Amino acid sequence: MEKIHDESKQGESLVLEAKPSNTKKLFIESYGCSMNFSDSEIVASILADQGYNTTQKLEEADLVLVNTCSIRDKAEQTVRKRLEKYNAIKRINPKMKVGVLGCMAERLKSQFLDEEKIVDLVVGPDAYKDLPNLLQEVEEGRDAINVILSKDETYGDISPVRLNSNGINAFVTITRGCDNMCTFCVVPFTRGRERSREPQSIYEEIRDLNNRGFKEVTLLGQNVDSYLWYGGGLKKEYEKASEMQKATAVDFAQLLEACAIQFPKMRFRFSTSNPQDMHEEVLHVIARHPNVCNYIHLPVQSGSTRILQEMNRQHTREEYMALVDKIYAIIPDCSISQDMIAGFPTETEADHQDTLSLMEYVKYDFGYMFSYSERPGTLAARKMPDDVPDEVKKRRLQEIVDKQLELSLVRTSRFLGQTVEVLVEKSSKKSDADWSGRSLQNTVVVFPKEHYKLGDFVLVKVHECTSATLIGEAIGYSPMQAE
């Protein structure tokens, strides 16, 4: 598995400010996508009301939870190794309880309890509100499981705590689930049908973040561009809505613009977009509002139309390229990133070359690249033999990674001599004398700290770059900086 410019916090234990009245300790660790980290904040909020403060010390925890990813086999193997670690400590501290949350819990269900007997509770992504009841079951000596998928749960009524927060960036979930049924993907089976969150609850959550001094929000969903709130249930039932519901419906472009207008001193990003669902109006919203970042994560998975059809991706190579043309026409300085799979079943050398040529055409700024991993329960696993040899997958993946490194350097080089707006997020990993933040295009920027502070919007003139980082000098505050 390879990633370029990976911003995830794989396996990071999460902690929040303690409530003095709480007496129990929760250790929660997350793997996978940003949605899992956002869900862990919801879980911590629910359990804070049940007497649990979070801790970063595994050994002192009363309850250990791991929020899991099933997108690839390697992710699941990583979780299994962590469960072995938890159980080694549990043998020393028998009162400790261990639970699995998220997509892996949903996929394997009772197998954790019945066959492997390595956890005390199993909780799917739509069942976190049931945690108090499940913990009571555990306390009474019974195994506890709830993996029921919901058609309407969005957790819009839960105010998430912000775990390990820098007080600057936050995730806000706007959709849950996915209806796209890509043949390689487990998400529709582990997170259920697609549903959108009521917009007012989104605005209220962002308003709370704004009041607390947060400067940037990433709107999250498996497919944010298909966001549609009409006062009803599932998106695919929209045709049954009343005329009044349809007249007052809110789509993603409207939601994004409302956020930008209501909170002009906050930056907004969003992830993830699906090519067939990205509408032109979203691009115009990005172009109109300086506080909406000029960056789109636009997964494609393959550059071959034939392979895209095998993946059930609902778009062709040519349609994807036309969308990219439109993005660059409306937002000329936009950055685009990709997800790419090497070695999908039946992939030929010609298909692989189509992927490399598409990368060259789009000129992605960075990407997330993997070799194909068969996931049990998916259509690809049931109907498509994994027929590309491992050595061929590895070679093709390396060629994709090499191509992306080449393109990334080209893309960062375009900023040499330019001035970019940077939100200061943390100290640089390489030097405590430098700040690190991201530009509107989602590129990491490093510059001397001087008198600037965390959370400042700073204008930085770029004089050097690598394939992933811009290096420069601050020349003053951005107009985004609050008075």
Side-chain angles (χ1 to χ4, degrees):
M1 179 174 68
E2 297 287 342
K3 296 185 181 181
I4 300 294
H5 199 94
D6 182 2
E7 297 171 281
S8 64
K9 304 176 183 178
Q10 299 294 315
E12 184 169 311
S13 61
L14 305 174
V15 67
L16 66 142
E17 186 175 345
K19 287 186 177 181
S21 59
N22 286 353
T23 58
K24 293 174 284 189
K25 293 186 178 180
L26 164 69
F27 180 93
I28 184 167
E29 199 167 41
S30 296
Y31 291 85
C33 65
S34 298
M35 184 73 78
N36 276 5
F37 286 86
S38 179
D39 279 2
S40 290
E41 294 181 336
I42 291 169
V43 168
S45 180
I46 292 169
L47 291 179
D49 291 336
Q50 300 299 312
Y52 287 89
N53 286 329
T54 54
T55 178
Q56 287 187 309
K57 295 180 180 178
L58 175 59
E59 293 76 10
E60 69 180 21
D62 300 289
L63 175 63
V64 177
L65 299 176
V66 57
N67 202 339
T68 60
C69 176
S70 271
I71 198 71
R72 288 173 182 84
D73 181 64
K74 186 174 180 180
E76 290 197 358
Q77 294 307 316
T78 299
V79 169
R80 290 188 180 279
K81 289 179 181 176
R82 292 302 291 161
L83 289 171
E84 290 174 7
K85 170 72 171 177
Y86 302 158
N87 277 275
I89 294 173
K90 188 177 179 181
R91 285 191 286 273
I92 302 170
N93 178 16
K95 292 184 179 180
M96 175 189 288
K97 304 302 179 185
V98 176
V100 173
L101 312 176
C103 293
M104 194 172 169
E106 190 68 42
R107 191 181 80 76
L108 295 177
K109 299 180 171 63
S110 62
Q111 182 177 326
F112 279 121
L113 300 170
D114 298 339
E115 299 173 23
E116 304 181 27
K117 300 188 184 300
I118 54 175
V119 301
D120 301 292
L121 69 159
V122 178
V123 190
D126 290 347
Y128 298 142
K129 287 180 182 175
D130 197 33
L131 270 165
N133 297 325
L134 295 171
L135 288 169
Q136 184 63 38
E137 293 282 308
V138 172
E139 289 299 321
E140 293 173 1
R142 296 187 293 272
D143 291 334
I145 181 170
N146 187 340
V147 290
I148 297 172
L149 289 174
S150 170
K151 291 184 177 181
D152 51 21
E153 181 61 79
T154 64
Y155 299 108
D157 58 332
I158 301 289
S159 297
V161 298
R162 301 299 163 178
L163 298 169
N164 274 1
S165 173
N166 60 2
I168 297 162
N169 315 94
F171 296 126
V172 173
T173 299
I174 66 169
T175 71
R176 298 185 72 85
C178 184
D179 289 341
N180 286 320
M181 300 302 292
C182 298
T183 59
F184 57 83
C185 187
V186 297
V187 168
F189 307 104
T190 60
R191 286 190 170 269
R193 298 289 300 275
E194 186 176 292
R195 62 271 191 199
S196 298
R197 180 178 165 188
E198 193 273 323
Q200 195 58 43
S201 72
I202 296 171
Y203 304 144
E204 288 172 1
E205 185 174 337
I206 296 171
R207 183 171 293 106
D208 177 65
L209 290 167
N210 184 52
N211 291 341
R212 291 161 57 190
F214 283 78
K215 301 298 178 68
E216 183 178 276
V217 164
T218 300
L219 304 175
L220 283 183
Q222 259 73 37
N223 185 11
V224 291
D225 291 278
S226 65
Y227 176 90
L228 180 65
W229 175 260
Y230 59 95
L234 302 176
K235 180 192 171 187
K236 287 200 170 180
E237 295 175 353
Y238 176 67
E239 62 273 9
K240 301 176 185 177
S242 68
E243 291 305 311
M244 177 63 75
Q245 285 177 315
K246 290 181 178 179
T248 57
V250 177
D251 65 15
F252 181 59
Q254 293 168 317
L255 178 79
L256 184 61
E257 184 151 54
C259 291
I261 292 171
Q262 289 187 50
F263 309 101
K265 293 300 182 180
M266 295 184 82
R267 257 194 197 176
F268 290 92
R269 302 183 187 274
F270 56 88
S271 185
T272 293
S273 295
N274 228 313
Q276 72 267 22
D277 294 310
M278 173 158 271
H279 303 297
E280 183 175 324
E281 183 54 32
V282 173
L283 305 180
H284 289 296
V285 170
I286 297 171
R288 273 198 297 270
H289 297 284
N291 60 332
V292 180
C293 293
N294 297 347
Y295 162 64
I296 299 171
H297 182 54
L298 197 65
V300 65
Q301 311 300 352
S302 174
S304 162
T305 291
R306 187 186 71 81
I307 293 295
L308 290 172
Q309 290 171 343
E310 292 293 315
M311 292 175 166
N312 194 34
R313 287 291 290 168
Q314 307 299 314
H315 63 84
T316 65
R317 169 191 176 92
E318 290 73 24
E319 288 168 339
Y320 185 90
M321 293 166 73
L323 175 58
V324 168
D325 291 344
K326 190 176 291 186
I327 291 171
Y328 286 141
I330 297 171
I331 318 164
D333 63 344
C334 192
S335 288
I336 303 175
S337 59
Q338 45 86 348
D339 286 351
M340 207 72 76
I341 296 173
F344 189 78
T346 77
E347 184 185 75
T348 66
E349 197 61 32
D351 295 323
H352 173 59
Q353 291 302 319
D354 280 349
T355 292
L356 294 176
S357 67
L358 179 71
M359 293 176 70
E360 188 66 49
Y361 182 87
V362 177
K363 293 183 169 48
Y364 294 106
D365 290 73
F366 50 91
Y368 303 85
M369 292 147 283
F370 310 88
S371 57
Y372 174 68
S373 171
E374 187 176 86
R375 308 310 299 130
T378 62
L379 184 62
R382 297 198 307 270
K383 303 286 188 181
M384 303 175 187
D386 188 1
D387 59 356
V388 179
D390 284 345
E391 61 271 19
V392 175
K393 288 182 185 177
K394 289 177 182 177
R395 189 259 302 167
R396 290 177 183 169
L397 176 60
Q398 190 58 54
E399 290 178 3
I400 290 170
V401 170
D402 290 345
K403 172 59 69 174
Q404 186 56 64
L405 285 169
E406 172 191 321
L407 294 172
S408 293
L409 183 58
V410 170
R411 294 296 284 169
T412 55
S413 296
R414 79 189 196 269
F415 294 109
L416 290 173
Q418 303 296 313
T419 298
V420 297
E421 179 189 272
V422 181
L423 173 58
V424 179
E425 298 178 1
K426 58 187 177 182
S427 292
S428 168
K429 291 180 180 179
K430 293 187 176 180
S431 171
D432 281 340
D434 293 334
W435 286 127
S436 175
R438 285 177 297 164
S439 69
L440 286 165
Q441 290 78 15
N442 207 36
T443 308
V444 173
V445 184
V446 174
F447 63 96
K449 286 184 174 179
E450 300 181 70
H451 60 279
Y452 299 102
K453 305 183 298 298
L454 283 170
D456 282 348
F457 288 99
V458 181
L459 296 175
V460 176
K461 186 163 186 179
V462 178
H463 56 68
E464 190 179 344
C465 70
T466 69
S467 61
T469 306
L470 304 177
I471 302 160
E473 303 282 343
I475 60 172
Y477 291 107
S478 156
M480 277 287 291
Q481 182 73 8
E483 297 296 330

